Amino acid sequence: MSGQANNIRSAFDPAEYDKKIVQTLPYYQDFYREIINLLKVYKNDDLSWMDVGCGTGKMAEAAFSGFDIKRFVFADSSPQMIEIAKERFRETKSEFNLCNILDLPYINEFDVVTSVMVNHYLRKEDKIRAMQNYYAALKIDGIYIGFENFLPFSEEGKLLGLEKWKTFQLHRGKTREECEEHINRFGVSYFPITLSEHLELLKSAGFEAAEVFWVSNLQAGVYGIKRKEWQQSWKRI
């Protein structure tokens, strides 16, 4: 387990997370809406689901509202986030796992694995390992769906995208200092990769179908579909 993976930290305190995130990410609510829309045409009943980096439970809120859930696993490395999620969803068919995403213990158990704004905190080797864990956790025909910041193909594209992102945050009520602090984290506190690299990451983990299905500003939604069973003998990084 790398030091980087041990120290995955959101930019926001758990108590203020939900308020701050909508000031920071354009179309944040759409991330969850698009995940639900995708699942409604792929898998839509009697679901076993794991949400990695569950935070306060935003994904679970959408999942339980839209589907028949037979099992939902909240996974996060933050004790505070897990406690908030547990308080909100203790009456549902849920499990709460305080764990590092590089040490997920599940094999062939879920129809759906989701992660929203999680993997970009990892360095390349740990990104690969995390994606292998997601693949391993899925059943045959299971689907992984993730949303992440991404790196534009050109330096000019990156600078323009970051300036546009800063303007959005200013319009949402953040101070200029808060905006600058957040923008300066790009490539320093979290490590976005290009859209092409996102697809290669999915394929390298074993996903036969790997697609980008949503893009706006510097955020993207991707998915991968598992067609072959995970074998214990497969090498993980």
Side-chain angles (χ1 to χ4, degrees):
M1 186 187 305
S2 74
Q4 175 64 31
N6 272 327
N7 292 291
I8 295 174
R9 294 189 61 190
S10 167
F12 312 120
D13 182 86
E16 63 176 7
Y17 182 87
D18 290 334
K19 175 184 175 182
K20 288 292 187 181
I21 198 73
V22 296
Q23 290 182 299
T24 301
L25 289 171
Y27 303 110
Y28 176 67
Q29 306 288 356
D30 287 351
F31 298 176
Y32 299 94
R33 188 176 299 116
E34 290 302 315
I35 289 172
I36 297 302
N37 288 343
L38 179 59
L39 285 173
K40 281 187 180 294
V41 298
Y42 184 67
K43 282 183 175 288
N44 56 27
D45 62 347
D46 203 28
L47 296 176
S48 55
W49 188 325
M50 176 170 63
D51 187 40
V52 179
C54 65
T56 62
K58 183 71 175 177
M59 185 74 264
E61 183 180 297
F64 282 109
S65 296
F67 299 101
D68 176 21
I69 306 292
K70 67 179 179 183
R71 179 191 183 195
F72 196 98
V73 173
F74 295 78
D76 205 297
S77 60
S78 165
Q80 296 92 338
M81 292 292 195
I82 286 289
E83 285 305 312
I84 292 170
K86 188 180 294 186
E87 183 63 29
R88 293 185 65 200
F89 295 96
R90 65 172 68 251
E91 301 301 322
T92 62
K93 298 175 183 177
S94 298
E95 302 165 31
F96 302 88
N97 190 348
L98 177 63
C99 64
N100 189 289
I101 67 174
L102 301 185
D103 298 317
L104 294 171
Y106 308 101
I107 303 292
N108 303 324
E109 295 189 37
F110 299 100
D111 301 298
V112 180
V113 171
T114 50
S115 69
V116 176
M117 309 308 284
V118 174
N119 300 336
H120 59 226
Y121 288 111
L122 303 175
R123 300 280 189 176
K124 182 177 180 180
E125 182 176 295
D126 287 339
K127 280 181 168 64
I128 296 170
R129 183 173 168 187
M131 196 61 65
Q132 289 176 331
N133 285 347
Y134 303 160
Y135 186 93
L138 286 165
K139 302 174 185 177
I140 298 295
D141 298 327
I143 186 169
Y144 164 76
I145 311 174
F147 271 79
E148 297 293 340
N149 294 317
F150 71 89
L151 178 67
F153 293 115
S154 67
E155 183 66 17
E156 184 175 3
K158 184 183 82 170
L159 294 175
L160 183 59
L162 289 174
E163 191 62 30
K164 187 170 181 283
W165 195 0
K166 182 168 65 176
T167 300
F168 167 84
Q169 293 180 44
L170 282 167
H171 288 165
R172 284 298 180 97
K174 295 178 76 171
T175 67
R176 187 168 294 278
E177 290 74 21
E178 286 177 314
C179 296
E180 291 287 353
E181 181 181 1
H182 185 268
I183 294 303
N184 289 338
R185 296 176 73 240
F186 193 95
V188 175
S189 299
Y190 60 94
F191 311 96
I193 57 178
T194 66
L195 295 178
S196 296
E197 289 172 317
H198 273 290
L199 296 181
E200 288 304 314
L201 180 63
L202 286 162
K203 292 174 183 176
S204 72
F207 289 102
E208 284 73 20
E211 301 290 346
V212 176
F213 74 103
W214 189 96
V215 178
S216 181
N217 295 284
L218 293 182
Q219 290 74 47
V222 300
Y223 69 83
I225 297 174
K226 176 177 178 175
R227 297 301 190 195
K228 298 177 183 177
E229 187 165 343
W230 169 264
Q231 301 295 326
Q232 293 281 10
S233 60
W234 289 9
K235 181 181 178 181
R236 294 202 212 191
I237 290 180

